């Protein structure tokens, strides 16, 4: 079965607010995780990744946090914009094979 | 840099018919993947190629699905005969190699509807 899952299927935020999307995983041996963004009618697009030897990694307006104790990771988007509206997936990379969760749909209200 | 190309973008067929999808990966990418994404779910790996060899096809329903990458560049995925439950988006992805941290780049997908 799948080893990654997401807490909420949908998330609605006001434009300019920060967004937090959560993901839980079950395999404590997992050592590499990726966040993908998928807009309607498009393929998933790489956002940011993190290895298990890190707790936090920052990109442009995005931060991924990894809590290995509770097997949880989150994606934080600062100053959310309408263009951030999409489905967000966390994925676990097992030896080059991606295992995706079900996704969270982020809606940004103007 | 051109991305992963897929065609057709949409396909509607009746059950028991056959269908084929085509993928051209990013130039120089040795590894190619086919995923199936059912509505409301994350993509699921069907098959992985390294150059023209199959690395992983454990999730491919081999009684009806087949894939090839004869020259180690572009690839085709075929379904014969199609079932209603095959309705999904079929995504192709490629990566430079197949390392754990190697980024996979996805194409736009082919949306298949089986009636």
């Amino acid at each position: 079965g799948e080893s990654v899952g997401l807490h909420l299927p949908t998330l609605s935020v006001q434009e300019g607010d920060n967004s937090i999307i959560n993901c839980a995983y079950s395999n404590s041996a997992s050592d590499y995780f990726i966040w993908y963004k998928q807009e309607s009618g498009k393929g998933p697009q790489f956002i940011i990744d993190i290895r298990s030897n890190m707790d936090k990694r920052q990109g442009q307006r995005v931060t991924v946090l990894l809590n290995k104790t509770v097997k949880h990771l989150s994606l934080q988007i600062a100053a959310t914009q309408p263009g951030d509206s999409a489905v967000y997936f966390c994925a676990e990379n097992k030896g080059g094979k991606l295992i995706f969760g079900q996704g969270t749909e982020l809606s940004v209200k103007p | 840099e051109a991305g992963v190309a897929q065609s057709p973008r949409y396909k509607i067929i009746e059950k028991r018919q056959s269908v084929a999808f085509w993928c051209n990966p990013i130039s120089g990418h040795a590894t190619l993947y086919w995923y199936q994404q059912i509505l409301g779910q994350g993509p699921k790996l069907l098959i992985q190629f390294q150059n023209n060899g199959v690395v992983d096809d454990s999730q491919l329903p081999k009684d009806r699905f087949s894939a090839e990458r004869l020259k180690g560049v572009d690839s085709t995925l075929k379904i014969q005969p199609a079932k209603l439950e095959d309705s999904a988006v079929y995504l192709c992805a490629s990566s430079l190699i197949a390392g754990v941290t190697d980024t996979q780049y996805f194409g736009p997908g082919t949306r298949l509807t089986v009636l």
Side-chain angles (χ1 to χ4, degrees):
Chain A
E2 291 184 343
S3 62
V4 291
L6 291 166
H7 290 300
L8 293 172
T10 61
L11 175 65
S12 183
V13 300
Q14 204 71 37
E15 181 179 356
D17 287 351
N18 296 335
S19 303
I20 300 176
I21 300 171
N22 296 303
C23 182
Y25 64 95
S26 58
N27 187 349
S28 57
S30 300
D31 63 358
Y32 182 61
F33 303 90
I34 312 102
W35 282 99
Y36 278 88
K37 171 187 180 183
Q38 187 172 26
E39 296 174 274
S40 181
K42 297 183 179 180
Q45 177 187 5
F46 173 90
I47 301 173
I48 192 168
D49 57 3
I50 188 167
R51 298 208 71 154
S52 60
N53 60 355
M54 304 171 70
D55 297 322
K56 179 180 179 179
R57 192 168 187 211
Q58 288 185 293
Q60 186 178 10
R61 283 200 307 118
V62 294
T63 301
V64 55
L65 299 178
L66 177 62
N67 186 329
K68 294 178 286 292
T69 302
V70 295
K71 291 185 283 189
H72 177 274
L73 68 160
S74 65
L75 177 70
Q76 300 179 1
I77 304 173
T80 312
Q81 302 169 0
D84 295 326
S85 294
V87 178
Y88 290 81
F89 292 97
C90 64
E92 171 188 9
N93 190 312
K94 284 184 175 178
K97 179 177 177 178
L98 287 179
I99 309 296
F100 285 83
Q102 286 197 321
T104 292
E105 183 174 10
L106 175 65
S107 298
V108 182
K109 295 178 289 186
Chain B
E1 176 183 82
V4 176
Q6 290 189 247
S7 68
R9 290 298 314 277
Y10 305 92
K11 190 73 177 179
I12 300 175
I13 61 172
E14 295 189 349
K15 60 182 179 183
R16 290 188 290 273
Q17 286 187 324
S18 60
V19 65
F21 313 126
W22 175 82
C23 171
N24 191 29
I26 293 173
S27 178
H29 279 197
T31 308
L32 184 147
Y33 312 79
W34 283 102
Y35 289 84
Q36 179 192 60
Q37 185 175 24
I38 293 172
L39 185 65
Q41 298 183 16
K44 183 185 80 172
L45 180 69
L46 292 175
I47 188 167
Q48 175 184 344
F49 291 94
Q50 180 78 15
N51 296 310
N52 61 350
V54 175
V55 173
D56 184 349
D57 63 356
S58 58
Q59 301 270 61
L60 188 73
K62 298 180 187 63
D63 57 333
R64 298 184 300 106
F65 286 65
S66 64
E68 59 184 17
R69 192 185 185 201
L70 293 176
K71 296 183 179 179
V73 181
D74 54 355
S75 174
T76 54
L77 176 70
K78 297 179 181 178
I79 307 175
Q80 181 180 9
K83 293 185 175 181
L84 296 177
E85 58 261 37
D86 298 332
S87 293
V89 174
Y90 290 85
L91 295 162
C92 179
S94 70
S95 63
L96 198 57
I97 53 175
V100 171
T101 59
D102 203 40
T103 301
Q104 294 186 25
Y105 297 90
F106 285 81
T110 297
R111 181 176 296 278
L112 173 67
T113 302
V114 182
L115 302 176

